[in-house]
Every structure is written in C-alpha cells, then in structure tokens.
Amino acid sequence: MRNMEKLKRMTQQSGFQCSVCQLWHDALPLSYSVKAPLAVKGIPENELLRRVVFTVDQCIVDEQSFYLRGRIPVPVLGQVQPFIWGVWARVSQKDFIRTNELWKVAGREAEPAYLGRLNTQIPLYGDTLNLAVRVRTQVVGRRPHFDVIDQAHPLAIEQREGISIQRVREIAEEILHPKR
C-alpha cells in the first residue's frame, strides 16, 4: 500500500500501540486515499501532459476513459465518523459529463446512482481493480460515495456491517508495515 496517502482523521483515541513494530503512533487514521487512478500509473511520464487531464477529483485519459474520485465509507462501530477509503472509479462518458454539469449545482445529491468500476487497488481486500460500485452523488463540496455492488466481497461486507476500532488498528498496521 505504498501508494496510499494517509489523511489525518483521528478517532476519539489519541493513538495506538503497533503490534508489528511495538511503537506508539500518535494518530489512528480513519482515512486513506490515493492521489490518482491506477490507469495514470501506466502512462510514461513524458506522455502525461498530452494524454491526461487531471484535477484532484476528476481525470480523463486519452479523451476516452473517465474517472471520478470518491469515498467508500465504512461504519466504525461505536464511532460517529466512518472509516473512509479514498479511491477512484471509472465511469461512463455520459455519467462523467452529467456529474461535471452538476458539480456546483445545489440539489445534485438527488441524482440517481450510476455504475462505476474501481480503478484503485486496495490490497487488504484482494483484487479490487474493476470492482463494480454504485456511485452516489453527494451534496456540493462532497465527493461521491461508492457502494460495492458484489455483496460477497470482503470490502462490501465491511461497508455493510461496519468494522471495529480494532480492525481500524489492523488496517493501520498493514499500511504501515505492508507484507511483501
């Protein structure tokens, strides 16, 4: 998970004792995010400016592949704030254009959900690349929420049933100390 960027969201606890390195970590993150869709990684650096249109929330590759940055919220049992996976999904051109049209329009959250496919690998859950998600538009200023469609997938189970604060610690330890 080297490409995962830690975002600083804290639980009500001030930190945690890592069972891998035995060190005290001052923060227990409730969010991890990637900066760009995986599709961008395969493009040679000298071609990026020509082939990729990129903002922090939207990406177009080769004028034919469309990506949105969103959140997979996972309830944390006993906590107010959910755990968030900040990920990217490929969406249709039609849905991308519609999302862009409504980007700053109040009431956009009333739009029907549409289909996307994850373009982020979250190794803690096996293969998540191309995992089908339902994209739900949120209020202006909020990234869309992605609901995993395959209800048997481990990520969908956690999204549906929630996770314990101990699981949040386990995720932090796996990200801090990835297995090779």
Side-chain angles (χ1 to χ4, degrees):
M1 305 239 16
R2 283 168 266 147
N3 65 339
M4 297 301 261
E5 171 188 89
K6 289 184 204 174
L7 297 179
K8 292 181 170 88
R9 269 200 193 188
M10 311 279 254
T11 65
Q12 294 169 349
Q13 299 179 0
S14 61
F16 71 104
Q17 177 81 35
C18 181
S19 69
V20 178
C21 67
Q22 306 307 314
L23 295 176
W24 178 261
H25 297 279
D26 290 333
L28 179 59
L30 275 178
S31 181
Y32 296 94
S33 183
V34 294
K35 294 179 181 181
L38 196 56
V40 172
K41 186 177 181 180
I43 298 174
E45 192 171 333
N46 64 339
E47 296 178 18
L48 285 173
L49 287 175
R50 180 175 53 81
R51 296 178 54 194
V52 178
V53 177
F54 183 80
T55 72
V56 296
D57 293 307
Q58 300 176 348
C59 181
I60 303 171
V61 175
D62 296 328
E63 298 180 2
Q64 62 184 2
S65 298
F66 303 88
Y67 303 90
L68 293 174
R69 190 174 191 178
R71 301 159 34 112
I72 299 175
V74 178
V76 179
L77 306 173
Q79 301 288 319
V80 174
Q81 293 289 333
F83 182 90
I84 301 292
W85 288 109
V87 296
W88 290 81
R90 183 175 181 174
V91 298
S92 73
Q93 181 177 8
K94 175 183 149 241
D95 291 329
F96 184 87
I97 290 170
R98 180 69 178 156
T99 297
N100 208 29
E101 289 171 349
L102 298 174
W103 199 253
K104 294 183 178 183
V105 176
R108 70 183 191 161
E109 66 277 9
E111 281 289 296
Y114 52 92
L115 182 65
R117 297 254 173 207
L118 284 187
N119 198 255
T120 300
Q121 194 64 269
I122 309 173
L124 280 69
Y125 300 97
D127 187 11
T128 58
L129 188 61
N130 292 316
L131 187 63
V133 293
R134 184 177 311 103
V135 180
R136 293 185 295 120
T137 304
Q138 302 298 299
V139 297
V140 173
R142 302 274 321 241
R143 291 186 173 124
H145 284 185
F146 298 159
D147 298 320
V148 178
I149 292 174
D150 176 359
Q151 292 299 298
H153 192 279
L155 183 52
I157 293 168
E158 287 191 353
Q159 187 176 35
R160 182 178 61 249
E161 297 178 4
I163 58 176
S164 67
I165 201 70
Q166 178 57 36
R167 174 66 174 141
V168 174
R169 285 186 198 103
E170 290 168 5
I171 290 169
E173 290 172 350
E174 289 186 53
I175 289 173
L176 286 169
H177 307 286
K179 297 175 181 133
R180 306 249 181 246

